[in-house]
Amino acid sequence: MQLDDTEREGDGERMMRNWKMLMLFNRAGKRGKKYAFEAMRLITNCRALYSAKMAQRVIHGMFVNPKGGDGKNYANDLKQEHLVKGNKVSLHDLRGNKTLKAVTRSTQASYSQQVVGENFDDQSKVSKNSTSHTYGDCKEDVKEMVASLRNLKPFTFSPDRLHKAFPNMSKSPLDQLDPVLLERWLTKNKRKIAATPYLNDDSDNDDDDNDDDVLPVLNDMDADDDDEDNP
């Protein structure tokens, strides 16, 4: 609900707060490490490395509102999917005649073709298809859910209460997050991104610092060189 409402309102600063929480949740899990890195990279760039103008564009440019109105924003990547869909329609007509020149010309003209078609429909009084999704009536489902919640009383504290299918489930996924390892991971990757702004992969997923393992090896190599120089 938080993410959906943020998208509808087009609130960039609120989305950045959501990214902070998503970073923690993904870092706490076993399968979301790369998503945690992407969230951390976005926050680091917007809050520290980007210029004020670029940060403003990134934070508040995540949404589009083609039709205007409050609460009618949606993600700009969804708009990009709509454009790709129009390109696919144009490319489908090429069939076996797909060349680089033909594909380029067709995709450049796809948006104009869409505008021409919409103008023709308006002048011909052809009604547009609704772009809104329809939803079924959920009143009965809500009533059944409320009745179950009243019986179970999930918000009333009961000592040692647990579900038999999840005996070891913690109250929050963040309970598995180690603050010390998190701070070490953040510091390490922020330094990497500062040194290489276009870094887009957390190649080192180990939370342990390997410098302590490397230094003894380097010292041994130096000692061997000294022995060779001084037989």
Side-chain angles (χ1 to χ4, degrees), residues 166-213:
F166 309 101
N168 299 321
M169 177 178 287
S170 60
K171 294 182 179 180
S172 171
L174 299 182
D175 292 341
Q176 304 175 10
L177 191 63
D178 189 330
V180 176
L181 296 180
L182 175 65
E183 193 275 336
R184 185 183 302 174
W185 175 78
L186 287 172
T187 302
K188 177 189 67 176
N189 285 286
K190 284 190 292 186
R191 289 175 177 173
K192 284 185 177 181
I193 294 175
T196 309
Y198 298 104
L199 181 69
N200 57 6
D201 181 26
D202 183 14
S203 57
D204 184 8
N205 290 324
D206 294 331
D207 292 316
D208 296 332
D209 193 354
N210 295 326
D211 292 342
D212 296 337
D213 298 333

Side-chain angles (χ1 to χ4, degrees), residues 98-213:
K98 292 184 177 67
T99 62
L100 180 59
K101 183 177 180 180
V103 169
T104 302
R105 183 172 61 247
S106 178
T107 53
Q108 289 177 344
S110 61
Y111 181 74
S112 299
Q113 291 175 351
Q114 180 181 352
V115 173
V116 171
E118 291 176 353
N119 291 337
F120 181 83
D121 291 341
D122 291 338
Q123 295 177 10
S124 302
K125 307 300 181 182
V126 177
S127 59
K128 296 182 180 180
N129 295 327
S130 176
T131 58
S132 301
H133 294 283
T134 57
Y135 301 94
D137 189 0
C138 60
K139 291 182 179 179
E140 296 300 325
D141 295 335
V142 172
K143 290 180 180 179
E144 183 178 353
M145 180 181 64
V146 171
S148 298
L149 292 176
R150 286 179 175 176
N151 183 32
L152 297 174
K153 298 180 180 180
F155 304 110
T156 301
F157 177 74
S158 298
D160 300 328
R161 179 170 61 179
L162 52 85
H163 194 283
K164 62 180 181 180
F166 309 101
N168 299 321
M169 177 178 287
S170 60
K171 294 182 179 180
S172 171
L174 299 182
D175 292 341
Q176 304 175 10
L177 191 63
D178 189 330
V180 176
L181 296 180
L182 175 65
E183 193 275 336
R184 185 183 302 174
W185 175 78
L186 287 172
T187 302
K188 177 189 67 176
N189 285 286
K190 284 190 292 186
R191 289 175 177 173
K192 284 185 177 181
I193 294 175
T196 309
Y198 298 104
L199 181 69
N200 57 6
D201 181 26
D202 183 14
S203 57
D204 184 8
N205 290 324
D206 294 331
D207 292 316
D208 296 332
D209 193 354
N210 295 326
D211 292 342
D212 296 337
D213 298 333

